[in-house]
Amino acid sequence: MRIVMIGSGYVGLVSGACFADFGHHVTCVDKSEAKITALEAGEVPIFEPGLDAIIQQNREAGRLDFSKNLAPSVGEADVVFIAVGTPSRRGDGHADLTYVYAAAREIAAAVKGFTVVVTKSTVPVGTGDEIERIFREEFPEKDIAVVSNPEFLREGAAITDFKRPDRIVIGTEDARAIEVMREVYRPLYLNEAPLYFCERRTSELIKYAANAFLAMKITFINEIADLSEKIGADVQKVAKGIGMDKRIGDKFLHAGPGYGGSCFPKDTLALVKTAQDFDSPVRLIETTVAINDNRKRAMGRKVIAACDGDVRGKKIAVLGLTFKPNTDDMRDAPSITIVQALLDGGATVHAYDPEGMEAAKDILGPITYGKDPYEIAVDADAIVIVTEWEEFRALDLKRLKTVMKDPVIVDLRNIYPASEVAKHGFGYFAIGRKPERR
Ligand SMILES: NC(=O)c1ccc[n+]([C@@H]2O[C@H](COP(=O)([O-])OP(=O)(O)OC[C@H]3O[C@@H](n4cnc5c(N)ncnc54)[C@H](O)[C@@H]3O)[C@@H](O)[C@H]2O)c1
């Protein structure tokens, strides 16, 4: 099969490379000249574990190439995926579909024979109908089917998620498109990944409903964490105790600083807006969004409280900036709000992140970056663990204590046993667990 992937970001590049790995011929297209130039030179512009090897192997095998111009490859394609960004629209929080519709128009102009056009971007209900309208009104002679196929991969584990998904949702009722999509995903079907066919609008809603549910689950345990802290319970044990119930499940029950990233914040907001437009408000999700927004700033206040209520003139060492480990993605990361709250409180912030510092430099205010946790801890009044990178899980606490001015750790990811940290003489403040004061 000949596949074209429009948009070579976190989703497009991973999906394109994995489809090539299944044996399809894939062209990944992107408007960004810098991205395509880098990819053609053998550099991978994002950090995603394992992606560079798959790209290299499939380029060498002649199954994967890159282009700034979609027209030649779209003319030859069986399937064209749209995997461009759908960020929050400035001002009202609806999904901004400018990039999707621009890509659809370009595709429409370039299509030759029967082609399946698939939205892999997360798009609100009705977007597929609108793309179909664009084709029908502007290019009535073209033969296409518009399909919804939302992506559920997680950054940091994207290759495994793409190759071993829990399910593949395909929204179309067009018999020819169903055949083509079966062929596209045949290698995964052999891996026993269920193909779930439904109507296009249903498929579009499944993606938002899934993300909203997961965001709600995280927010639920975050509120239980706050309650645990007040009443002397341990949220990790509560999470384990409820997670063993199969009706609840143990995933997405890790209390933390609030969800962030490129999907949950914008997708929950977009669902809220769509639901309001249809006069069917989703109040649970409205509340989830509000709680999560407040939580990030509250995490800044938590750090300040751990520093005896005042960070003016103090040095705070921040470990981890990306919204989760194993990615360089800084979009809507909780670190952005937390660092700002600390700067607003008069602190000096020094930060270290294994992969996110380049992206952070364009987003965060005036802070200093270090080369490892020990360097930024020198003379610090507190360490704050914001992202749970593996390399922060076994820090040399003895060494840290000797270099810090005041041995305080605020662990917003609960990655340390409190007793272990306290044994080394640290004040230790976690989420939803009793603080250990010096
Ligand atoms: N990042 C994730 O983990 C994830 C997971 C599931 C779904 N999604 C969804 O997938 C979509 C893409 O997300 P992403 O994180 O990959 O975004 P991204 O910003 O990393 O990549 C989008 C790419 O599209 C390119 N682009 C925009 N318009 C174009 C056009 N007309 N022609 C060619 N290229 C164009 C941009 O230059 C950019 O490189 C979004 O709708 C997102 O919600 C993302």
Short mmCIF file of all heavy atoms in Angstrom, two decimals, residues 237-261:
data_model
loop_
_atom_site.label_atom_id
_atom_site.label_comp_id
_atom_site.label_asym_id
_atom_site.label_seq_id
_atom_site.Cartn_x
_atom_site.Cartn_y
_atom_site.Cartn_z
N LYS A 237 -1.52 4.07 48.83
CA LYS A 237 -2.19 2.85 49.30
C LYS A 237 -3.68 2.88 48.96
O LYS A 237 -4.28 1.86 48.65
CB LYS A 237 -1.96 2.67 50.79
CG LYS A 237 -0.49 2.38 51.07
CD LYS A 237 -0.21 2.19 52.54
CE LYS A 237 1.30 1.97 52.73
NZ LYS A 237 1.72 2.18 54.10
N VAL A 238 -4.27 4.08 48.99
CA VAL A 238 -5.67 4.20 48.59
C VAL A 238 -5.80 3.80 47.12
O VAL A 238 -6.67 3.01 46.73
CB VAL A 238 -6.20 5.64 48.79
CG1 VAL A 238 -7.63 5.76 48.25
CG2 VAL A 238 -6.15 6.04 50.26
N ALA A 239 -4.88 4.31 46.29
CA ALA A 239 -4.93 4.02 44.84
C ALA A 239 -4.79 2.52 44.61
O ALA A 239 -5.49 1.92 43.79
CB ALA A 239 -3.83 4.78 44.12
N LYS A 240 -3.87 1.91 45.35
CA LYS A 240 -3.67 0.47 45.18
C LYS A 240 -4.92 -0.30 45.62
O LYS A 240 -5.38 -1.22 44.93
CB LYS A 240 -2.46 0.02 46.00
CG LYS A 240 -1.99 -1.34 45.67
CD LYS A 240 -0.61 -1.64 46.20
CE LYS A 240 -0.27 -3.07 45.82
NZ LYS A 240 0.90 -3.57 46.50
N GLY A 241 -5.46 0.16 46.73
CA GLY A 241 -6.65 -0.52 47.28
C GLY A 241 -7.85 -0.43 46.36
O GLY A 241 -8.62 -1.39 46.24
N ILE A 242 -8.03 0.71 45.69
CA ILE A 242 -9.19 0.79 44.78
C ILE A 242 -8.84 0.20 43.41
O ILE A 242 -9.68 -0.37 42.73
CB ILE A 242 -9.75 2.23 44.64
CG1 ILE A 242 -8.72 3.21 44.05
CG2 ILE A 242 -10.27 2.75 45.96
CD1 ILE A 242 -9.30 4.60 43.76
N GLY A 243 -7.56 0.31 43.03
CA GLY A 243 -7.14 -0.17 41.70
C GLY A 243 -7.23 -1.67 41.55
O GLY A 243 -7.33 -2.19 40.43
N MET A 244 -7.18 -2.40 42.68
CA MET A 244 -7.30 -3.86 42.61
C MET A 244 -8.71 -4.30 42.22
O MET A 244 -8.93 -5.44 41.84
CB MET A 244 -6.89 -4.50 43.94
CG MET A 244 -5.37 -4.50 44.11
SD MET A 244 -4.83 -5.45 45.54
CE MET A 244 -5.14 -4.31 46.86
N ASP A 245 -9.65 -3.37 42.33
CA ASP A 245 -11.02 -3.63 41.90
C ASP A 245 -11.04 -3.53 40.37
O ASP A 245 -10.78 -2.47 39.81
CB ASP A 245 -11.93 -2.56 42.52
CG ASP A 245 -13.40 -2.80 42.22
OD1 ASP A 245 -13.71 -3.37 41.14
OD2 ASP A 245 -14.23 -2.42 43.06
N LYS A 246 -11.36 -4.66 39.71
CA LYS A 246 -11.29 -4.68 38.23
C LYS A 246 -12.22 -3.66 37.59
O LYS A 246 -11.99 -3.21 36.48
CB LYS A 246 -11.60 -6.07 37.71
CG LYS A 246 -10.49 -7.07 37.99
CD LYS A 246 -10.66 -8.32 37.15
CE LYS A 246 -9.60 -9.37 37.46
NZ LYS A 246 -9.71 -9.89 38.86
N ARG A 247 -13.28 -3.29 38.30
CA ARG A 247 -14.19 -2.29 37.72
C ARG A 247 -13.52 -0.93 37.65
O ARG A 247 -13.88 -0.08 36.86
CB ARG A 247 -15.47 -2.17 38.57
CG ARG A 247 -16.31 -3.43 38.55
CD ARG A 247 -17.40 -3.34 39.60
NE ARG A 247 -16.84 -3.13 40.93
CZ ARG A 247 -17.57 -2.97 42.03
NH1 ARG A 247 -18.88 -2.96 41.96
NH2 ARG A 247 -16.98 -2.81 43.20
N ILE A 248 -12.51 -0.72 38.51
CA ILE A 248 -11.83 0.58 38.54
C ILE A 248 -10.51 0.51 37.76
O ILE A 248 -10.23 1.35 36.91
CB ILE A 248 -11.57 1.02 40.01
CG1 ILE A 248 -12.93 1.23 40.71
CG2 ILE A 248 -10.71 2.28 40.08
CD1 ILE A 248 -12.83 1.51 42.19
N GLY A 249 -9.72 -0.51 38.03
CA GLY A 249 -8.43 -0.67 37.33
C GLY A 249 -7.35 0.18 37.97
O GLY A 249 -7.63 1.21 38.57
N ASP A 250 -6.08 -0.24 37.84
CA ASP A 250 -5.01 0.45 38.58
C ASP A 250 -4.28 1.52 37.75
O ASP A 250 -3.39 2.18 38.24
CB ASP A 250 -4.01 -0.56 39.14
CG ASP A 250 -3.37 -1.41 38.04
OD1 ASP A 250 -3.72 -1.20 36.86
OD2 ASP A 250 -2.51 -2.25 38.36
N LYS A 251 -4.67 1.70 36.49
CA LYS A 251 -3.98 2.68 35.64
C LYS A 251 -4.54 4.09 35.89
O LYS A 251 -5.69 4.25 36.25
CB LYS A 251 -4.17 2.34 34.15
CG LYS A 251 -3.68 0.95 33.77
CD LYS A 251 -2.16 0.96 33.64
CE LYS A 251 -1.63 -0.30 32.99
NZ LYS A 251 -1.91 -1.53 33.75
N PHE A 252 -3.69 5.07 35.65
CA PHE A 252 -4.09 6.49 35.75
C PHE A 252 -4.59 6.83 37.15
O PHE A 252 -5.49 7.63 37.32
CB PHE A 252 -5.12 6.86 34.66
CG PHE A 252 -4.44 7.08 33.34
CD1 PHE A 252 -3.98 6.00 32.60
CD2 PHE A 252 -4.19 8.35 32.86
CE1 PHE A 252 -3.30 6.18 31.39
CE2 PHE A 252 -3.52 8.55 31.67
CZ PHE A 252 -3.07 7.46 30.93
N LEU A 253 -3.98 6.19 38.13
CA LEU A 253 -4.32 6.50 39.53
C LEU A 253 -3.07 6.95 40.28
O LEU A 253 -2.93 6.68 41.47
CB LEU A 253 -4.95 5.28 40.22
CG LEU A 253 -6.41 4.98 39.85
CD1 LEU A 253 -6.91 3.74 40.60
CD2 LEU A 253 -7.33 6.16 40.15
N HIS A 254 -2.15 7.61 39.58
CA HIS A 254 -0.96 8.14 40.26
C HIS A 254 -1.18 9.62 40.53
O HIS A 254 -1.28 10.41 39.60
CB HIS A 254 0.29 7.94 39.40
CG HIS A 254 0.57 6.50 39.13
ND1 HIS A 254 1.07 5.66 40.10
CD2 HIS A 254 0.39 5.75 38.03
CE1 HIS A 254 1.19 4.44 39.60
NE2 HIS A 254 0.78 4.47 38.34
N ALA A 255 -1.26 9.94 41.81
CA ALA A 255 -1.46 11.36 42.15
C ALA A 255 -0.22 12.15 41.77
O ALA A 255 0.90 11.65 41.81
CB ALA A 255 -1.73 11.47 43.64
N GLY A 256 -0.42 13.38 41.36
CA GLY A 256 0.71 14.20 40.94
C GLY A 256 0.34 15.66 40.85
O GLY A 256 -0.65 16.10 41.45
N PRO A 257 1.13 16.42 40.07
CA PRO A 257 0.92 17.87 40.01
C PRO A 257 -0.18 18.32 39.07
O PRO A 257 -0.31 19.51 38.82
CB PRO A 257 2.29 18.37 39.52
CG PRO A 257 2.82 17.27 38.69
CD PRO A 257 2.31 15.99 39.30
N GLY A 258 -0.95 17.40 38.51
CA GLY A 258 -1.99 17.76 37.54
C GLY A 258 -1.55 17.32 36.16
O GLY A 258 -0.36 17.31 35.86
N TYR A 259 -2.53 16.97 35.32
CA TYR A 259 -2.16 16.49 33.99
C TYR A 259 -1.74 17.66 33.10
O TYR A 259 -2.18 18.79 33.28
CB TYR A 259 -3.30 15.68 33.35
CG TYR A 259 -4.60 16.43 33.14
CD1 TYR A 259 -4.76 17.33 32.09
CD2 TYR A 259 -5.68 16.22 33.99
CE1 TYR A 259 -5.95 18.01 31.90
CE2 TYR A 259 -6.88 16.90 33.80
CZ TYR A 259 -7.01 17.79 32.76
OH TYR A 259 -8.19 18.47 32.56
N GLY A 260 -0.85 17.35 32.16
CA GLY A 260 -0.42 18.37 31.19
C GLY A 260 -0.23 17.69 29.85
O GLY A 260 -0.86 16.67 29.57
N GLY A 261 0.64 18.25 29.02
CA GLY A 261 0.96 17.61 27.75
C GLY A 261 0.18 18.17 26.59
O GLY A 261 -0.65 19.07 26.73
#
